[in-house]
Amino acid sequence: MTSTHAFWLAGRQATGETSFDVTSPWDGRIVGTVSVPTDAQVEEAVAAAHAVRDEFAATPAHVRAAALDHVSRRLVERTEEIAQLISAENGKPVKWARGEVGRAVSVFRFAAEEARRFNGGEAQRLDTDAGGQGRLALTRRFPKGVVLGIAPFNFPLNLCAHKIAPAIAVGAPIILKPAPATPLSGLLLGELLAETELPAGSWSVLPVENDRMPALVQDERLPVISFTGSDKVGYAIMDSVPRKHCTLELGGNGAAVVLADFARDEDLDWAANRIATFSNYQGGQSCISVQRVIADASLYERLVPKIVAAVEKQVTGDPSDPATDVGPLVSEDAAKRVEAWVEEAVRAGAKLLAGGKRDGASYAPTVLAEVPSDVTLACEEVFGPVLTVQRADGEEAAFAAVNDSKYGLQAGVFTHDVQTAFRAHRALEVGGVIVGDVPSYRADQMPYGGVKQSGVGREGVRFAMDDYTYERVLVLTGLAL
């Protein structure tokens, strides 16, 4: 995997004048060399997408659905190859990379299904008042225009899929910018799209540098922006283009609440193992990884040792080894940042219960207790394999602790009580409440997104399709209703 990769310009391969190397965060080897589009090539891609927007919007549903089905099938056929690629460029353990490919398979399949049934139209009688006699309104949805999709490094295939698939499903051209650290998976999606009969210009995959993004963001021919990444960058984009439609999937500070009724030994074993796994999967580099455990005081002393033991059983090491649970972070700088935040918390009085060691880009699965509320680790998204534990005196205090964060993406609530589940759904200031499990659960067809500084808008195939389109009403007159 050391060849030079062309990018995809208006549906065809192209190369620019410069290139950069993609390196493995595990061992530093060069995974691939990627060609970078010139300014003129970026302009060509945007102009082509803008020019084809009406044609693409009018493309028959079966054509778009067939293309999406094709990509889904081809992902299945190349699962192992793609999983190895994700693991190499991202450092993700191959066991998790295989799961990511499987999720992308589903995303394109869901999009194909939705493309076939989307926009059937809703009819509404208007003769409910005298002035509407003989009138019928038909409401359908139409693309807002070309989508600029900006994807992150942590799910380099599936989060590209969540930009591309809904856009194709509604007939919106898309310019995809993959993350500079992990562009190879997005470029591979371009390879599969090129095998379809989608109109030329309806899609491009451009691995441009981050410092070239402001010009794309500002381009009036790209009225829809779908961004996944940090809250700082996301809101800077939104603030710079207040008249554009922006979907922002930003950070989180995922909390798992374990309430007093979840007290049997088998309950606590389940909670501890789920928390240990999903505070560390993807190296903790997931917006909905477990960062905080808020345990009822009545079971705190029983639960915490189980969590620590489960965390210490996580297998760390070479991401290409199927036995590995936790690989490196995306870079050594990322691991150094996590290390600095943990050291700050310990200096401020936090107790280190497990981990706390860095080796290059790898950081050991870590558990801390008694973390002061004003340290960085308590306030920000750690995006690393670090977990904090704290007591709460009852349900109300636990829910208040969840809400004591600028983020609000998802929360997990371990309880057997359906009334408690509904109270959690009402009380917690998050985009999703997962009952009986960690906040890290995501099904790719469900609405996914947050509140507060976790973003605006929703992904999940059908919900992104709604985001990329707007309602247009047609009124028919003189009908015998």
Side-chain angles (χ1 to χ4, degrees):
M1 290 187 287
T2 57
S3 59
T4 300
H5 297 259
F7 51 86
W8 294 93
L9 193 168
R12 72 180 192 278
Q13 282 191 309
T15 56
E17 298 170 355
T18 61
S19 63
F20 65 93
D21 291 332
V22 179
T23 59
S24 164
W26 170 247
D27 56 17
R29 76 184 188 280
I30 296 176
V31 179
T33 300
V34 174
S35 185
V36 179
T38 65
D39 288 344
Q41 289 170 319
V42 171
E43 166 58 27
E44 183 181 350
V46 174
H50 183 70
V52 81
R53 67 194 190 283
D54 291 338
E55 175 191 344
F56 193 34
T59 301
H62 72 87
V63 174
R64 288 179 273 116
L68 293 161
D69 273 331
H70 174 84
V71 175
S72 182
R73 289 193 302 270
R74 294 287 283 138
L75 288 169
V76 172
E77 294 168 359
R78 298 176 64 176
T79 291
E80 188 59 27
E81 170 199 350
I82 299 169
Q84 295 292 342
L85 179 64
I86 292 170
S87 182
E89 70 170 340
N90 172 277
K92 180 175 299 191
V94 72
K95 62 186 282 185
W96 296 115
R98 289 174 182 139
E100 180 174 348
V101 179
R103 289 180 60 187
V105 168
S106 296
V107 168
F108 279 95
R109 188 182 74 249
F110 295 151
E113 294 166 356
E114 292 292 353
R116 291 185 173 97
R117 59 177 168 250
F118 186 70
N119 222 352
E122 179 181 345
Q124 181 182 19
R125 293 180 66 133
L126 301 180
D127 61 353
T128 50
D129 288 314
Q133 187 167 333
R135 296 180 187 266
L136 182 78
L138 180 67
T139 302
R140 294 190 292 158
R141 301 188 71 88
F142 294 86
K144 294 174 179 174
V146 183
V147 177
L148 173 61
I150 307 172
F153 71 81
N154 57 329
F155 289 86
L157 180 76
N158 196 43
L159 292 185
C160 287
H162 270 287
K163 310 298 182 192
I164 293 172
I168 292 173
V170 300
I174 181 165
I175 306 289
L176 177 75
K177 179 207 173 295
T182 57
L184 301 179
S185 300
L187 292 171
L188 190 143
L189 279 179
E191 183 180 334
L192 304 185
L193 288 168
E195 298 171 353
T196 72
E197 298 181 1
L198 294 174
S202 60
W203 60 273
S204 294
V205 182
L206 304 179
V208 299
E209 304 93 332
N210 287 340
D211 60 7
R212 295 170 65 189
M213 286 309 298
L216 274 173
V217 167
Q218 293 288 337
D219 196 309
E220 293 183 357
R221 296 168 295 179
L222 306 175
V224 180
I225 298 173
S226 178
F227 171 84
T228 302
S230 73
D231 56 327
K232 179 180 179 181
V233 175
Y235 284 115
I237 288 173
M238 177 176 277
D239 290 345
S240 72
V241 285
R243 290 177 176 82
K244 288 195 177 189
H245 179 88
C246 294
T247 297
L248 304 180
E249 300 296 339
L250 308 177
N253 190 348
V257 177
V258 187
L259 293 175
D261 71 294
F262 214 78
R264 297 174 301 177
D265 285 340
E266 55 266 37
D267 289 339
L268 297 183
D269 288 340
W270 162 258
N273 284 314
R274 296 294 285 177
I275 288 166
T277 297
F278 289 96
S279 62
N280 294 293
Y281 87 125
Q282 327 287 342
Q285 297 169 121
S286 168
C287 297
I288 47 177
S289 66
V290 186
Q291 183 169 332
R292 298 181 289 157
V293 174
I294 301 163
D296 190 89
S298 65
L299 49 75
Y300 179 89
E301 298 296 340
R302 293 169 57 208
L303 176 62
V304 171
K306 291 177 180 288
I307 292 174
V308 172
V311 166
E312 290 177 337
K313 289 179 182 177
Q314 295 286 302
V315 177
T316 62
D318 186 345
S320 67
D321 185 342
T324 297
D325 298 311
V326 186
L329 276 68
V330 72
S331 68
E332 186 169 0
D333 284 346
K336 286 180 177 179
R337 176 189 55 76
V338 173
E339 179 183 45
W341 287 13
V342 171
E343 289 177 350
E344 177 202 15
V346 171
R347 287 195 302 271
K351 292 185 177 180
L352 185 65
L353 305 182
K357 301 292 185 182
R358 181 181 66 83
D359 181 9
S362 297
Y363 196 79
T366 297
V367 183
L368 299 106
E370 300 179 24
V371 176
S373 61
D374 59 346
V375 299
T376 308
L377 187 64
C379 303
E380 300 294 336
E381 179 181 38
V382 66
F383 228 58
V386 177
L387 177 68
T388 68
V389 294
Q390 67 186 89
R391 291 178 176 84
D393 292 320
E395 175 190 310
E396 185 176 345
F399 291 172
V402 173
N403 291 339
D404 186 21
S405 172
K406 67 180 182 179
Y407 298 109
L409 191 46
Q410 291 195 165
V413 179
F414 289 89
T415 181
H416 295 296
D417 190 306
V418 69
Q419 295 290 352
T420 300
F422 274 84
R423 286 196 297 271
H425 198 204
R426 179 180 296 276
L428 297 179
E429 298 167 353
V430 293
V433 178
I434 314 300
V435 175
D437 206 349
V438 291
S440 316
Y441 176 79
R442 178 183 179 184
D444 291 283
Q445 71 271 38
M446 77 183 194
Y448 175 78
V451 297
K452 298 192 283 191
Q453 291 192 37
S454 287
V456 295
R458 291 295 181 268
E459 287 192 341
V461 175
R462 174 56 193 262
F463 303 92
M465 291 167 69
D466 286 344
D467 239 17
Y468 292 170
T469 57
Y470 70 97
E471 294 177 317
R472 185 187 298 166
V473 65
L474 172 72
V475 177
L476 301 174
T477 304
L479 301 179
L481 296 176

